[in-house]
C-alpha cells in the first residue's frame, strides 16, 4: 500500500510539474522569465508569484459556493412569511453591505480570534488561539458576497411568476421539489448576470487578504517589489494577472450564460 501511495505521489508531482502554467516546461515564467527577477527557482520571484495566483484562485473558488449558499438562505428568509426571519435577514444585509470589506475582514480576523479566546478563558483555558488567515479571509469574503448575492437572488425570485409555484403544486410536487425542479433552474438563469458581476468583484476583493498576511497575488508581488525595488514591474505583473483571471472568468460566464439560454429555449 505504501509503494502504491509513493508511486501515485510521484505521478502527481510529475504531472503537476509538466502542467504547471507558470514554472512548468511550457509555463509563462519558464519561457519569458529568462534568468532575471521573473525566473523560476532561487534566483527569481516566479515561484512566489505563482503561489500567490494559486492561493487567490483557491480562495475565490472556495468562497463562491459558501457565499452562494448563504445568499440563497438569506434570500429565502427575506421573502419568508415569518417576520423575525425577514428582520434578521434585513439586518444581516444592511450590516455587511454597509461596512467596508476591509473593515469586515479585520472584524472577522481579529474579532473572531478574540471571541474564541474569551470563550476558552471562560472555561479556564489560557491557551493562545490564532485564527488561520485563509479561513478568516474566506469567511469575511463569504459574508460580504452573500449579502450582495441575497439581493440579486431576491430580485430573481420576485421575477418568477407565482403561478410557477402553483403549477408545481398542481402536478403533485412538494414545495421542496417545486423549488428544486421548477424555481431554481429559472432562478439561476435570471440571476446569472448579476452573479457574474459579483464573481468579478470577489476576484478583486481577494486582494484584501494580503493585509492579514495571506500569500495572494498582491502580497507576493508587494514583497517582491519591496525587496527588489522594482515596484512598477511587479505591480504591473499583478495587474496583468488580475486582468487575465477576469478575462478567463468572462469567457466562462459567457459560456454558462449561453448554455442556460439554450436550455431555456429547448424547454
Amino acid at each position: 500500500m505504501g509503494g502504491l501511495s509513493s508511486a501515485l505521489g510521484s505521478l502527481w508531482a510529475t504531472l503537476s510539474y509538466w502542467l504547471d502554467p507558470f514554472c512548468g516546461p511550457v509555463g509563462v515564467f519558464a519561457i519569458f522569465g529568462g534568468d532575471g527577477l521573473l525566473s523560476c527557482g532561487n534566483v527569481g520571484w516566479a515561484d512566489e508569484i505563482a503561489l500567490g495566483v494559486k492561493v487567490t484562485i483557491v480562495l475565490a473558488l472556495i468562497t463562491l459556493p459558501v457565499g452562494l449558499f448563504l445568499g440563497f438562505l438569506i434570500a429565502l428568509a427575506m421573502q419568508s412569511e415569518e417576520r423575525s426571519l425577514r428582520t434578521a435577514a434585513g439586518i444581516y444585509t444592511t450590516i455587511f453591505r454597509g461596512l467596508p470589506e476591509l473593515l469586515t475582514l479585520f472584524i472577522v480576523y481579529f474579532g473572531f480570534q478574540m471571541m474564541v479566546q474569551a470563550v476558552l478563558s471562560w472555561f479556564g483555558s489560557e491557551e493562545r488561539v490564532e485564527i488561520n488567515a485563509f479561513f478568516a479571509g474566506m469567511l469575511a469574503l463569504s459574508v460580504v458576497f452573500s449579502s450582495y448575492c441575497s439581493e440579486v437572488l431576491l430580485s430573481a425570485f420576485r421575477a418568477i411568476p407565482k403561478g410557477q409555484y402553483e403549477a408545481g403544486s398542481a402536478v403533485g410536487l412538494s414545495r421542496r421539489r417545486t423549488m428544486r425542479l421548477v424555481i431554481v433552474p429559472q432562478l439561476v438563469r435570471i440571476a446569472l448576470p448579476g452573479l457574474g458581476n459579483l464573481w468579478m468583484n470577489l476576484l478583486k476583493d481577494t486582494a484584501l487578504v494580503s493585509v492579514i498576511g495571506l500569500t495572494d497575488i498582491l502580497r507576493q508581488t508587494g514583497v517582491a517589489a519591496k525587496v527588489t525595488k522594482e515596484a512598477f514591474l511587479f505591480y504591473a505583473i499583478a495587474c496583468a494577472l488580475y486582468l487575465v483571471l477576469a478575462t478567463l472568468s468572462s469567457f466562462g460566464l459567457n459560456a454558462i450564460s449561453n448554455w442556460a439560454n439554450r436550455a431555456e429555449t429547448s424547454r
Side-chain angles (χ1 to χ4, degrees), residues 28-181:
V28 175
F29 291 124
I31 296 175
F32 300 104
D35 297 324
L37 296 176
L38 298 180
S39 63
C40 299
N42 297 327
V43 177
W45 291 85
D47 299 278
E48 288 77 8
I49 295 174
L51 175 62
V53 175
K54 293 172 185 176
V55 170
T56 295
I57 293 174
V58 171
L59 177 62
L61 290 178
I62 292 179
T63 300
L64 179 63
V66 176
L68 284 174
F69 179 72
L70 290 175
F72 181 75
L73 294 181
I74 296 166
L76 289 178
M78 292 178 71
Q79 60 174 0
S80 171
E81 297 178 356
E82 184 65 36
R83 184 176 180 180
S84 60
L85 289 177
R86 296 198 307 271
T87 302
I91 293 173
Y92 179 95
T93 56
T94 300
I95 291 175
F96 290 114
R97 290 172 64 203
L99 291 177
E101 287 88 345
L102 185 59
L103 182 57
T104 301
L105 178 61
F106 284 152
I107 290 174
V108 172
Y109 184 60
F110 297 107
F112 189 67
Q113 183 171 290
M114 293 173 60
M115 183 181 68
V116 173
Q117 192 75 57
V119 172
L120 291 177
S121 299
W122 190 75
F123 283 103
S125 175
E126 298 299 328
E127 184 178 355
R128 181 171 176 79
V129 176
E130 186 173 347
I131 301 300
N132 180 272
F134 185 92
F135 174 78
M138 183 273 293
L139 184 59
L141 293 177
S142 294
V143 295
V144 173
F145 183 88
S146 65
S147 63
Y148 288 97
C149 175
S150 64
E151 295 293 334
V152 173
L153 294 178
L154 181 62
S155 298
F157 269 122
R158 290 173 175 170
I160 299 175
K162 293 184 178 180
Q164 299 286 333
Y165 297 90
E166 298 170 356
S169 177
V171 297
L173 296 178
S174 64
R175 185 175 181 84
R176 179 175 299 180
R177 294 193 68 190
T178 299
M179 179 65 67
R180 180 169 60 88
L181 299 176

Side-chain angles (χ1 to χ4, degrees), residues 175-205:
R175 185 175 181 84
R176 179 175 299 180
R177 294 193 68 190
T178 299
M179 179 65 67
R180 180 169 60 88
L181 299 176
V182 179
I183 304 302
V184 170
Q186 299 179 69
L187 186 75
V188 171
R189 182 178 58 83
I190 297 172
L192 193 57
L195 295 178
N197 289 332
L198 291 181
W199 165 254
M200 291 296 193
N201 288 332
L202 175 60
L203 272 179
K204 294 182 292 184
D205 286 345

Side-chain angles (χ1 to χ4, degrees), residues 190-266:
I190 297 172
L192 193 57
L195 295 178
N197 289 332
L198 291 181
W199 165 254
M200 291 296 193
N201 288 332
L202 175 60
L203 272 179
K204 294 182 292 184
D205 286 345
T206 56
L208 297 174
V209 300
S210 62
V211 301
I212 58 174
L214 195 62
T215 55
D216 71 320
I217 293 175
L218 191 59
R219 173 76 175 181
Q220 298 295 72
T221 53
V223 171
K226 291 178 182 178
V227 173
T228 63
K229 309 301 182 184
E230 295 285 350
F232 181 80
L233 171 64
F234 286 102
Y235 286 129
I237 291 173
C239 291
L241 290 172
Y242 280 113
L243 288 175
V244 167
L245 292 178
T247 302
L248 293 176
S249 297
S250 296
F251 287 132
L253 290 170
N254 288 335
I256 295 173
S257 178
N258 292 334
W259 171 81
N261 290 333
R262 286 197 302 269
E264 178 67 17
T265 302
S266 62

